[in-house]
Amino acid sequence: MKPKVAITLGDPSGAGPEIALMVIEEGRFEETCRPVLVGDALVVEKVKPIVGSTRKLQILEDPDDYVPGCINLVECGSLKGDYAFAKIQASCGEAAYAYVKRAIELALAGKVDATVTGPLHKEALNLAGHDYAGHTEIFTDLTRSRGTAMLLVGGPLRVIHVSTHVSLREACDRVTKERVLHVIRLADGAMRGLGIENPRIAVLGLNPHSGEHGLFGTEEMDHIVPAIEAALDEGFDVTGPLPPDTAFLHCKNGRYDIAVVMYHDQGHIPLKLLDFMGGVNITVGLPIIRTSVDHGTVFGKAGKGTADPTSLRTAIEFAVQFARHRTAGRNGAA
């Protein structure tokens, strides 16, 4: 059976609902999966004429009731009235949270095979009383997971983060042997989930020139090198610590399959430079599959029908790929 993929609409005031309907209207994913939107019917009805959607809206009690050729929606009933585009609103933050929560519940119950999230607005989320830095933290909390990591895929790069939404000062403290080793393991598993049998893993340094043997910092000698040595003992194909200012060139040219980066901007900047609208965010270390667009709510294009759905298309493609690999593994095929 084609995997069932839950796609959250994201913050209703942003462009998330529009790109979701654009992708559904294209119909291309009906050949590979059963895409099911998670959100509110009133949002879908508001956005349909904006993107020129002609498909019938089908409200589902259960994703198994999927109807080909329609806009299949699991109704959350969060929004009770109209809302404005391109405006930070607590009601929209609450709705975005409700969509994510419902998608997680469906995945944990085995009702869908993967989740794909549309963009939410962190300020609106917090205005609604949900104190999270973003999707990764919500998924980690609601699935009661530990040791998750953010993986970004875009253009020729794949990067996985030791830390993400913390201050730079705190990010330095989070570079420990245990955490770096754990992320190396997650990197290997994620690449195998994408069909790469023997992943080549690059581990970057934290400091300029990877510390120059302690001249510019000791985190490499104290934590990163011991983590790499332990990973080598476990049989991983891992190299490093590589100087951050040159490592991405080697990754771009195909020497490594994935880079373990030490903090948020170290991974985000090169990837977004090379593939800003096509990048995909994947949370690894969860009991369920979660991929996402790697851009924000795009308020500047909300309500205009001109947002770019490229990142969402790619996120769905990765979700399907992970779901198929996981199913094959359960059936003994991988």
Side-chain angles (χ1 to χ4, degrees):
M1 294 291 290
K2 298 174 185 177
K4 292 169 289 185
V5 179
I7 305 168
T8 67
L9 294 181
D11 189 302
S13 66
E18 293 168 54
I19 61 175
L21 286 192
M22 288 177 189
V23 169
I24 296 298
E25 190 70 18
E26 292 170 353
R28 57 185 286 186
F29 287 108
E30 291 185 347
E31 299 178 3
T32 59
C33 69
R34 289 170 284 172
V36 176
L37 300 184
V38 180
D40 287 318
L42 69 86
V43 176
V44 173
E45 294 291 4
K46 182 170 182 171
V47 170
K48 277 185 67 178
I50 295 173
V51 300
S53 175
T54 59
R55 294 194 173 208
K56 176 185 176 183
L57 175 60
Q58 184 73 35
I59 306 297
L60 304 180
E61 293 293 330
D62 189 306
D64 282 336
D65 299 327
Y66 176 86
V67 180
C70 294
I71 302 169
N72 290 270
L73 174 76
V74 172
E75 169 71 51
C76 292
S78 178
L79 276 174
K80 304 302 182 183
D82 198 14
Y83 59 93
F85 287 120
K87 182 179 179 181
I88 299 171
Q89 299 153 90
S91 60
C92 290
E94 180 61 39
Y97 176 79
Y99 305 162
V100 174
K101 184 173 182 291
R102 183 66 178 132
I104 291 172
E105 291 170 348
L106 290 170
L108 289 174
K111 293 294 184 180
V112 296
D113 302 293
T115 64
V116 178
T117 54
L120 54 72
H121 197 290
K122 295 178 178 63
E123 188 174 346
L125 183 70
N126 280 263
L127 278 175
H130 301 291
D131 187 20
Y132 293 102
H135 276 115
T136 302
E137 292 77 12
I138 296 173
F139 272 80
T140 300
D141 186 24
L142 297 188
T143 62
R144 299 183 179 180
S145 300
R146 286 189 175 185
T148 58
M150 179 187 292
L151 166 65
L152 301 182
V153 180
L157 295 184
R158 304 180 187 96
V159 299
I160 188 169
H161 297 69
V162 169
S163 69
T164 49
H165 297 127
V166 296
S167 70
L168 188 56
R169 185 179 301 279
E170 184 177 344
C172 294
D173 293 335
R174 294 198 181 194
V175 178
T176 65
K177 173 188 173 182
E178 293 75 18
R179 174 61 179 171
V180 174
L181 177 58
H182 179 67
V183 175
I184 291 171
R185 293 170 179 151
L186 291 177
D188 183 85
M191 293 302 94
R192 293 179 187 275
L194 292 175
I196 299 173
E197 293 185 0
N198 299 296
R200 300 162 299 167
I201 304 169
V203 179
L204 275 58
L206 172 68
N207 298 298
H209 306 291
S210 289
E212 287 279 16
H213 303 288
L215 184 63
F216 303 138
T218 63
E219 286 84 2
E220 286 78 11
M221 295 188 300
D222 294 341
H223 299 286
I224 300 176
V225 169
I228 292 171
E229 291 174 344
L232 290 169
D233 289 341
E234 293 182 15
F236 296 107
D237 184 350
V238 59
T239 303
L242 300 176
D245 59 352
T246 58
F248 291 109
L249 177 63
H250 301 309
C251 294
K252 176 177 177 290
N253 291 338
R255 184 180 297 182
Y256 306 105
D257 297 303
I258 187 169
V260 175
V261 300
M262 295 299 121
Y263 57 93
H264 183 280
D265 284 9
Q266 191 180 63
H268 278 65
I269 290 174
L271 188 134
K272 290 194 173 184
L273 177 65
L274 292 176
D275 193 10
F276 183 75
M277 288 308 298
V280 174
N281 182 332
I282 302 165
T283 305
V284 293
L286 295 171
I288 60 177
I289 296 168
R290 181 257 168 166
T291 70
S292 179
V293 297
D294 189 36
H295 59 71
T297 49
V298 199
F299 273 0
K301 295 187 176 181
K304 301 176 182 178
T306 58
D308 187 346
T310 300
S311 183
L312 181 60
R313 291 193 197 104
T314 309
I316 296 171
E317 289 170 359
F318 275 107
V320 171
Q321 192 170 352
F322 276 116
R324 284 178 168 171
H325 188 274
R326 179 172 289 187
T327 300
R330 285 198 296 265
N331 293 336

